[in-house]
Amino acid sequence: SDLGCCSRHHDAVSSIHRIPMTPYLQDLLDRRFVARLGKRTLDWLCRHEDDFRIARVTTEAVPWRVKPLAELMFLLTALKRHGLNSPSLTRLSDGALEEGEKFDWHELAAYDASAATGMAVVADFFQCQGRPAPFEDRFFGFLHQIDYFEGMDRLPYRDMDLAYNLGRLISTEYEKDIPVWFRSTAFGRRQHIVRYSIDDIYSLTHAVFYLTDLGLRRPETLLDPETAGRLRAELATLTGAMLRADNTDVLGELLLCWLFCGVERRGLNAVIFQHGLHQMMAVETDGSIAPTVRILQQARSGKATFGQLYHTTLVGAFLFNLLSEARTYARN
């Protein structure tokens, strides 16, 4: 595959992997490199802090202008809830709070009903930082009350997204809708795994995010044991398939799902997870994580853009910083 040329690891560790070593030594080296990448990805995000600012003059529609900042806030909230702290995370959080205060979020709500999730993510971030939302709570509540946010068609995993965020922001009662919508996804309909498209896998990873509260609850909390077991098995199989694909963004999200669902990392599963992790390591350049081999080549020559790199770098920052915790790395 195209990505196979990168799966030897990053230059910093590829030479080490040519030396025969015990599984224990290999595991130790991976842990150290993961911790290093966790720091490097956050350093890259800090260096590109200005790129997350919302453009005031642009031809882009409002939702696309706020998307990078909202996704950064989502990561910062998740890492904080997992108990991770660092000077880089504090710097990024302070900058996101400052930028979030400047923007008129009511303008986003006026654009269309898709504003619901973005505004909920922003409010959740501010709440986790001990700050009130940068928009009128009553305004958001009013739009929700009159079903304004229901005025659009959503894919099932996007309905899960909304239910999850309303559960975080308004009432946990909304979480009861999450498994209902999950039954309408490709996985919920028991679609054969060979028929999964990239979009189907992407929808599954995001569905897992909401089902597990980003790893803070077991899948069995909202799913029956048989479905939760099938989910773990199919995550491993899909990851094995993605090892041959040129899409590090989805691969990284799948590996996060392993952590969130507690997929056992022994035997063949251990081999799949390790190869997936090595592919993520192999596409790192100066702290950024490239989503494809072509963009990796551009990144190494300094020609890749922020827009090409930031989302996969957010995914990588989440993965590597969670794995840098000894408890998470060793958990099966």
Side-chain angles (χ1 to χ4, degrees), residues 84-316:
L84 275 66
N85 296 286
S86 72
S88 293
L89 288 172
T90 299
R91 172 181 167 179
L92 288 167
S93 296
D94 289 345
L97 286 168
E98 181 182 353
E99 185 65 15
E101 290 281 10
K102 294 177 182 178
F103 184 71
D104 182 3
W105 296 97
H106 304 89
E107 178 186 354
L108 178 62
Y111 186 84
D112 64 29
S114 68
T117 301
M119 292 180 72
V121 167
V122 172
D124 193 20
F125 169 69
F126 271 73
Q127 181 175 287
C128 283
Q129 298 293 327
R131 301 272 287 273
F135 52 82
E136 290 287 338
D137 291 340
R138 290 179 300 173
F139 176 69
F140 185 88
F142 171 72
L143 294 179
H144 174 61
Q145 184 179 5
I146 65 173
D147 291 331
Y148 173 75
F149 296 137
E150 301 299 325
M152 64 173 293
D153 293 326
R154 293 181 174 90
L155 294 170
Y157 82 98
R158 290 299 186 192
D159 277 306
M160 293 176 67
D161 189 350
L162 180 58
Y164 171 76
N165 282 286
L166 291 177
R168 292 277 304 152
L169 203 60
I170 298 176
S171 169
T172 55
E173 286 295 308
Y174 289 98
E175 293 182 348
K176 294 178 181 179
D177 293 331
I178 292 177
V180 176
W181 288 114
F182 188 54
R183 289 196 288 270
S184 297
T185 63
F187 175 89
R189 298 193 310 271
R190 294 182 176 269
Q191 177 172 300
H192 197 287
I193 206 160
V194 299
R195 295 185 59 202
Y196 269 68
S197 66
I198 293 296
D199 286 341
D200 289 332
I201 301 174
Y202 182 79
S203 73
L204 178 59
T205 59
H206 279 245
V208 168
F209 293 175
Y210 313 132
L211 282 167
T212 65
D213 191 14
L214 300 173
L216 294 172
R217 66 177 168 226
R218 288 173 54 81
E220 285 82 356
T221 305
L222 297 178
L223 300 177
D224 63 83
E226 186 275 331
T227 302
R230 184 168 65 90
L231 175 60
R232 292 185 177 98
E234 292 203 6
L235 284 171
T237 303
L238 287 169
T239 304
M242 287 302 297
L243 293 177
R244 298 181 59 81
D246 187 14
N247 192 321
T248 319
D249 198 74
V250 173
L251 177 62
E253 290 193 0
L254 282 167
L255 296 179
L256 280 170
C257 290
W258 283 57
L259 306 184
F260 297 162
C261 291
V263 178
E264 186 178 77
R265 302 202 297 272
R266 296 177 184 174
L268 179 59
N269 276 9
V271 175
I272 293 172
F273 187 87
Q274 186 182 58
H275 275 275
L277 186 60
H278 287 177
Q279 286 197 6
M280 293 293 293
M281 294 174 174
V283 294
E284 182 265 342
T285 301
D286 195 28
S288 68
I289 308 296
T292 65
V293 168
R294 180 180 63 82
I295 295 176
L296 171 65
Q297 294 167 346
Q298 293 177 359
R300 287 178 171 172
S301 62
K303 296 178 181 178
T305 66
F306 171 79
Q308 291 174 311
L309 296 171
Y310 87 87
H311 187 270
T312 311
T313 305
L314 291 174
V315 172

Side-chain angles (χ1 to χ4, degrees), residues 9 13 17 23-39 265 274 277-278 281 320-332:
H9 235 249
V13 292
H17 283 288
Y24 173 80
L25 182 56
Q26 176 69 70
D27 188 63
L28 179 62
L29 288 170
D30 281 348
R31 290 190 189 200
R32 290 182 176 178
F33 199 63
V34 160
R36 179 187 173 199
L37 286 181
K39 183 178 184 304
R265 302 202 297 272
Q274 186 182 58
L277 186 60
H278 287 177
M281 294 174 174
F320 294 134
N321 280 282
L322 280 187
L323 278 175
S324 67
E325 297 294 300
R327 293 173 302 170
T328 306
Y329 198 100
R331 188 181 303 152
N332 287 321

